[in-house]
Amino acid sequence: MDFCKILRACVLAIVASLLVALPQGMASAGSRGTHTLNYFQTSEVEVDGRAATRVEIGMDRRSVDYSAAPSAIRRNELRVRMEKTKRGEVRENIQVNSRFVKGVRLEEQADGSLVAHIEADRPLKEGDYAVTEAERVRRKRIPYRLVIDVFEPQAEQAPSTVEGVQDHTIILDPGHGGSDTGAVGPDGVTEASVTLPVAMKTRDILEASGAKVVMTRTTDVDVYGPNASDHDELQARVDVGLRTPGTDIFVSIHCNAFSNPGAHGMETFYYPKTDADYRLAALLNEELLAAGGRHNRGVKQARFYVMRHSDVPASLVELAFITNPEEEALLADDGYQQKLAEAIARGIARYFREG
């Protein structure tokens, strides 16, 4: 065998050994390349008997890595993130004339991903949408697609109920609001935007169970007035309870915050005016732990203004750390807010039943 043949055989042997040594999936560079969008279509469909607006985003290759979730800030928006994807020739802003989707905005990210902002006709929660992949249809020249279905709203369910609160009067205080957003999470979720819906969901459960519930606020406003002093704002919340005949308890709802984003968990507070203050905080703590599944930081004594100055047993609950990215996402989720509301209602019901 001459020198050229020997050299050629060596080169082929080396190439073959390198291909064998590559991890599975790396031999084909095409499967890991950048996806380029080349198709957009919307339609009205029915999925398992439920009407939906379907958004189809096509691309030049299959198996895009994607994730989907409602925006924590714009509650009417579904954000679908596609890794290693370019917009291609598809328009950046697309107006959609459909029942459940108003528009789509495609935004390329600095890291090479692309986010599709799907503007829905209402705030979305789990079960209101689905995202799947679809194979190409050669004979119709339809490419590989990401299929996003936004479903019609489901019928509202009657609020759950608890036993033991009938004829009792409860003050619910959603922390912050108006000119005071409270703490802000890394994705922009504000404390005030969490405490109000949790308090209102709690109110609905308690009222459906026969209680009288008075809220310190029912919209995104200051209780005393814009830009009031801390003292005036806090006293205005206390005054709601003081001027409500027959008030039994006062519960203030908050989200925790800390400079370290790793801080996590829930906790409840009391000021020892009576033994009943601790008992209320302890029962709320037990129910929030069971429902929320977060680390329990315990039942703690504190000198918070609304607890010290209320003339009835009072507790302040910290639902979770809004400055923790994982807990911020939970706090912004409608389903998780409902779990927290049910836990607070159960804790209040136990306070009256077991007193």
Side-chain angles (χ1 to χ4, degrees):
M1 183 180 292
D2 60 26
F3 176 77
C4 290
K5 288 183 179 180
I6 293 173
L7 179 62
R8 181 184 177 192
C10 291
V11 170
L12 289 174
I14 292 171
V15 171
S17 64
L18 287 174
L19 287 174
V20 170
L22 282 172
Q24 187 176 3
M26 290 192 65
S28 175
S31 63
R32 300 174 62 84
T34 299
H35 299 72
T36 301
L37 304 188
N38 57 10
Y39 179 90
F40 183 91
Q41 182 69 44
T42 64
S43 58
E44 303 298 326
V45 299
E46 189 172 290
V47 181
D48 296 330
R50 191 176 176 190
T53 295
R54 173 164 291 178
V55 176
E56 299 179 67
I57 300 174
M59 57 202 70
D60 60 347
R61 62 182 72 240
R62 60 154 62 93
S63 299
V64 63
D65 292 329
Y66 69 89
S67 60
S71 169
I73 301 173
R74 299 179 178 88
R75 305 298 293 277
N76 285 38
E77 181 180 281
L78 177 65
R79 299 176 79 246
V80 182
R81 181 186 180 92
M82 292 166 272
E83 303 298 334
K84 295 184 178 180
T85 302
K86 294 182 177 180
R87 185 164 56 83
E89 297 182 359
V90 179
R91 297 200 313 273
E92 180 179 1
N93 291 287
I94 305 169
Q95 185 174 355
V96 179
N97 184 21
S98 71
R99 295 179 63 185
F100 311 123
V101 174
K102 302 304 179 185
V104 176
R105 179 168 61 89
L106 301 175
E107 180 184 15
E108 291 183 341
Q109 307 292 301
D111 62 1
S113 64
L114 181 143
V115 175
H117 302 266
I118 314 295
E119 182 189 356
D121 64 328
R122 66 191 187 281
L124 296 175
K125 56 183 183 296
E126 186 177 353
D128 284 345
Y129 62 91
V131 183
T132 56
E133 289 185 276
E135 288 291 323
R136 64 181 176 180
V137 183
R138 292 179 183 272
R139 59 185 176 83
K140 294 185 178 181
R141 297 184 178 179
I142 299 176
Y144 302 109
R145 286 150 292 142
L146 207 59
V147 178
I148 304 153
D149 290 327
V150 177
F151 299 110
E152 65 180 337
Q154 290 181 313
E156 292 291 332
Q157 296 181 344
S160 57
T161 58
V162 291
E163 295 183 2
V165 299
Q166 188 170 3
D167 299 327
H168 287 288
T169 301
I170 299 149
I171 307 298
L172 292 181
D173 174 39
H176 306 280
S179 62
D180 175 17
T181 65
V184 181
D187 201 27
V189 179
T190 66
E191 185 175 359
S193 72
V194 174
T195 60
L196 182 58
V198 171
M200 295 183 75
K201 292 174 190 296
T202 306
R203 176 200 62 186
D204 292 345
I205 296 168
L206 294 172
E207 287 184 342
S209 306
K212 177 182 178 182
V213 180
V214 179
M215 304 269 290
T216 60
R217 67 181 180 95
T218 56
T219 57
D220 186 23
V221 296
D222 301 85
V223 177
Y224 182 89
N227 303 310
S229 67
D230 289 345
H231 174 273
D232 287 344
E233 176 65 14
L234 294 171
Q235 185 60 47
R237 294 169 186 267
V238 172
D239 288 343
V240 173
L242 295 178
R243 65 172 177 258
T244 300
T247 295
D248 290 300
I249 59 172
F250 184 105
V251 177
S252 189
I253 300 172
H254 287 257
C255 303
N256 222 332
F258 193 62
S259 56
N260 181 354
H264 64 288
M266 67 83 195
E267 55 195 334
T268 61
F269 293 88
Y270 71 100
Y271 179 74
K273 303 189 300 290
T274 68
D275 291 341
D277 290 85
Y278 171 80
R279 189 165 64 84
L280 174 61
L283 291 171
L284 290 169
N285 184 274
E286 288 180 16
E287 294 297 334
L288 284 167
L289 174 62
R294 309 314 298 168
H295 168 65
N296 187 6
R297 298 171 66 90
V299 182
K300 300 177 181 179
Q301 183 176 324
R303 294 179 55 81
F304 295 134
Y305 189 99
V306 294
M307 298 190 306
R308 287 190 294 120
H309 292 271
S310 295
D311 62 351
V312 296
S315 178
L316 185 147
V317 303
E318 297 279 10
L319 302 172
F321 277 78
I322 203 165
T323 46
N324 178 296
E326 178 186 353
E327 295 194 344
E328 178 193 26
L330 285 172
L331 290 168
D333 180 75
D334 183 80
Y336 192 75
Q337 291 175 1
Q338 182 66 31
K339 287 183 180 180
L340 296 175
E342 291 172 357
I344 294 170
R346 285 195 300 270
I348 290 172
R350 287 181 60 193
Y351 170 83
F352 291 118
R353 287 200 315 269
E354 300 174 12

PDB file of all heavy atoms in Angstrom, residues 226-240:
ATOM      1  N   PRO A 226     -54.134  59.948  48.519  1.00  0.00           N
ATOM      2  CA  PRO A 226     -52.818  59.864  47.873  1.00  0.00           C
ATOM      3  C   PRO A 226     -51.723  60.544  48.681  1.00  0.00           C
ATOM      4  O   PRO A 226     -51.914  61.638  49.223  1.00  0.00           O
ATOM      5  CB  PRO A 226     -53.043  60.572  46.531  1.00  0.00           C
ATOM      6  CG  PRO A 226     -54.510  60.471  46.296  1.00  0.00           C
ATOM      7  CD  PRO A 226     -55.147  60.539  47.655  1.00  0.00           C
ATOM      8  N   ASN A 227     -50.582  59.867  48.775  1.00  0.00           N
ATOM      9  CA  ASN A 227     -49.371  60.420  49.370  1.00  0.00           C
ATOM     10  C   ASN A 227     -49.546  60.842  50.826  1.00  0.00           C
ATOM     11  O   ASN A 227     -48.918  61.792  51.295  1.00  0.00           O
ATOM     12  CB  ASN A 227     -48.862  61.604  48.538  1.00  0.00           C
ATOM     13  CG  ASN A 227     -48.612  61.207  47.098  1.00  0.00           C
ATOM     14  OD1 ASN A 227     -47.941  60.213  46.825  1.00  0.00           O
ATOM     15  ND2 ASN A 227     -49.180  61.959  46.163  1.00  0.00           N
ATOM     16  N   ALA A 228     -50.411  60.129  51.552  1.00  0.00           N
ATOM     17  CA  ALA A 228     -50.580  60.394  52.974  1.00  0.00           C
ATOM     18  C   ALA A 228     -49.352  59.919  53.737  1.00  0.00           C
ATOM     19  O   ALA A 228     -48.554  59.117  53.233  1.00  0.00           O
ATOM     20  CB  ALA A 228     -51.829  59.684  53.489  1.00  0.00           C
ATOM     21  N   SER A 229     -49.211  60.403  54.957  1.00  0.00           N
ATOM     22  CA  SER A 229     -48.132  59.891  55.803  1.00  0.00           C
ATOM     23  C   SER A 229     -48.424  58.440  56.156  1.00  0.00           C
ATOM     24  O   SER A 229     -49.572  57.980  56.083  1.00  0.00           O
ATOM     25  CB  SER A 229     -48.032  60.715  57.082  1.00  0.00           C
ATOM     26  OG  SER A 229     -49.191  60.519  57.893  1.00  0.00           O
ATOM     27  N   ASP A 230     -47.379  57.698  56.534  1.00  0.00           N
ATOM     28  CA  ASP A 230     -47.575  56.305  56.920  1.00  0.00           C
ATOM     29  C   ASP A 230     -48.571  56.195  58.066  1.00  0.00           C
ATOM     30  O   ASP A 230     -49.436  55.305  58.069  1.00  0.00           O
ATOM     31  CB  ASP A 230     -46.237  55.676  57.334  1.00  0.00           C
ATOM     32  CG  ASP A 230     -45.309  55.450  56.153  1.00  0.00           C
ATOM     33  OD1 ASP A 230     -45.795  55.513  55.005  1.00  0.00           O
ATOM     34  OD2 ASP A 230     -44.109  55.215  56.386  1.00  0.00           O
ATOM     35  N   HIS A 231     -48.465  57.101  59.034  1.00  0.00           N
ATOM     36  CA  HIS A 231     -49.372  57.069  60.183  1.00  0.00           C
ATOM     37  C   HIS A 231     -50.817  57.253  59.751  1.00  0.00           C
ATOM     38  O   HIS A 231     -51.714  56.493  60.155  1.00  0.00           O
ATOM     39  CB  HIS A 231     -48.984  58.151  61.197  1.00  0.00           C
ATOM     40  CG  HIS A 231     -49.952  58.280  62.333  1.00  0.00           C
ATOM     41  ND1 HIS A 231     -51.083  59.107  62.262  1.00  0.00           N
ATOM     42  CD2 HIS A 231     -49.998  57.674  63.549  1.00  0.00           C
ATOM     43  CE1 HIS A 231     -51.756  59.005  63.390  1.00  0.00           C
ATOM     44  NE2 HIS A 231     -51.123  58.153  64.186  1.00  0.00           N
ATOM     45  N   ASP A 232     -51.070  58.270  58.916  1.00  0.00           N
ATOM     46  CA  ASP A 232     -52.452  58.535  58.492  1.00  0.00           C
ATOM     47  C   ASP A 232     -53.020  57.385  57.669  1.00  0.00           C
ATOM     48  O   ASP A 232     -54.190  57.013  57.820  1.00  0.00           O
ATOM     49  CB  ASP A 232     -52.516  59.831  57.679  1.00  0.00           C
ATOM     50  CG  ASP A 232     -52.356  61.072  58.547  1.00  0.00           C
ATOM     51  OD1 ASP A 232     -52.494  60.942  59.787  1.00  0.00           O
ATOM     52  OD2 ASP A 232     -52.078  62.152  57.996  1.00  0.00           O
ATOM     53  N   GLU A 233     -52.207  56.806  56.792  1.00  0.00           N
ATOM     54  CA  GLU A 233     -52.686  55.709  55.951  1.00  0.00           C
ATOM     55  C   GLU A 233     -53.008  54.480  56.799  1.00  0.00           C
ATOM     56  O   GLU A 233     -54.062  53.845  56.626  1.00  0.00           O
ATOM     57  CB  GLU A 233     -51.631  55.363  54.894  1.00  0.00           C
ATOM     58  CG  GLU A 233     -51.969  54.168  54.021  1.00  0.00           C
ATOM     59  CD  GLU A 233     -53.183  54.366  53.130  1.00  0.00           C
ATOM     60  OE1 GLU A 233     -53.630  55.529  52.976  1.00  0.00           O
ATOM     61  OE2 GLU A 233     -53.689  53.360  52.596  1.00  0.00           O
ATOM     62  N   LEU A 234     -52.113  54.141  57.729  1.00  0.00           N
ATOM     63  CA  LEU A 234     -52.351  52.973  58.572  1.00  0.00           C
ATOM     64  C   LEU A 234     -53.524  53.184  59.516  1.00  0.00           C
ATOM     65  O   LEU A 234     -54.332  52.277  59.741  1.00  0.00           O
ATOM     66  CB  LEU A 234     -51.083  52.636  59.360  1.00  0.00           C
ATOM     67  CG  LEU A 234     -49.896  52.161  58.516  1.00  0.00           C
ATOM     68  CD1 LEU A 234     -48.634  52.057  59.360  1.00  0.00           C
ATOM     69  CD2 LEU A 234     -50.205  50.823  57.843  1.00  0.00           C
ATOM     70  N   GLN A 235     -53.640  54.395  60.061  1.00  0.00           N
ATOM     71  CA  GLN A 235     -54.765  54.668  60.954  1.00  0.00           C
ATOM     72  C   GLN A 235     -56.082  54.614  60.194  1.00  0.00           C
ATOM     73  O   GLN A 235     -57.110  54.167  60.737  1.00  0.00           O
ATOM     74  CB  GLN A 235     -54.593  56.037  61.618  1.00  0.00           C
ATOM     75  CG  GLN A 235     -55.666  56.350  62.661  1.00  0.00           C
ATOM     76  CD  GLN A 235     -55.684  55.355  63.802  1.00  0.00           C
ATOM     77  OE1 GLN A 235     -54.638  55.026  64.366  1.00  0.00           O
ATOM     78  NE2 GLN A 235     -56.873  54.860  64.151  1.00  0.00           N
ATOM     79  N   ALA A 236     -56.075  55.042  58.931  1.00  0.00           N
ATOM     80  CA  ALA A 236     -57.301  54.975  58.123  1.00  0.00           C
ATOM     81  C   ALA A 236     -57.769  53.540  57.965  1.00  0.00           C
ATOM     82  O   ALA A 236     -58.975  53.250  57.950  1.00  0.00           O
ATOM     83  CB  ALA A 236     -57.062  55.612  56.756  1.00  0.00           C
ATOM     84  N   ARG A 237     -56.837  52.601  57.864  1.00  0.00           N
ATOM     85  CA  ARG A 237     -57.194  51.188  57.757  1.00  0.00           C
ATOM     86  C   ARG A 237     -57.764  50.681  59.082  1.00  0.00           C
ATOM     87  O   ARG A 237     -58.766  49.958  59.096  1.00  0.00           O
ATOM     88  CB  ARG A 237     -55.962  50.374  57.330  1.00  0.00           C
ATOM     89  CG  ARG A 237     -55.497  50.725  55.916  1.00  0.00           C
ATOM     90  CD  ARG A 237     -54.131  50.130  55.592  1.00  0.00           C
ATOM     91  NE  ARG A 237     -53.670  50.596  54.290  1.00  0.00           N
ATOM     92  CZ  ARG A 237     -53.857  49.960  53.136  1.00  0.00           C
ATOM     93  NH1 ARG A 237     -54.480  48.797  53.119  1.00  0.00           N
ATOM     94  NH2 ARG A 237     -53.431  50.475  51.996  1.00  0.00           N
ATOM     95  N   VAL A 238     -57.126  51.064  60.166  1.00  0.00           N
ATOM     96  CA  VAL A 238     -57.641  50.679  61.478  1.00  0.00           C
ATOM     97  C   VAL A 238     -59.037  51.254  61.703  1.00  0.00           C
ATOM     98  O   VAL A 238     -59.923  50.580  62.249  1.00  0.00           O
ATOM     99  CB  VAL A 238     -56.673  51.154  62.582  1.00  0.00           C
ATOM    100  CG1 VAL A 238     -57.288  50.949  63.973  1.00  0.00           C
ATOM    101  CG2 VAL A 238     -55.345  50.410  62.479  1.00  0.00           C
ATOM    102  N   ASP A 239     -59.240  52.497  61.263  1.00  0.00           N
ATOM    103  CA  ASP A 239     -60.528  53.167  61.471  1.00  0.00           C
ATOM    104  C   ASP A 239     -61.688  52.428  60.814  1.00  0.00           C
ATOM    105  O   ASP A 239     -62.832  52.511  61.286  1.00  0.00           O
ATOM    106  CB  ASP A 239     -60.473  54.596  60.936  1.00  0.00           C
ATOM    107  CG  ASP A 239     -59.624  55.516  61.814  1.00  0.00           C
ATOM    108  OD1 ASP A 239     -59.361  55.140  62.982  1.00  0.00           O
ATOM    109  OD2 ASP A 239     -59.220  56.594  61.330  1.00  0.00           O
ATOM    110  N   VAL A 240     -61.413  51.726  59.719  1.00  0.00           N
ATOM    111  CA  VAL A 240     -62.474  50.942  59.069  1.00  0.00           C
ATOM    112  C   VAL A 240     -63.057  49.948  60.065  1.00  0.00           C
ATOM    113  O   VAL A 240     -64.282  49.770  60.168  1.00  0.00           O
ATOM    114  CB  VAL A 240     -61.939  50.225  57.815  1.00  0.00           C
ATOM    115  CG1 VAL A 240     -63.006  49.288  57.245  1.00  0.00           C
ATOM    116  CG2 VAL A 240     -61.505  51.238  56.769  1.00  0.00           C
TER     117      VAL A 240
END
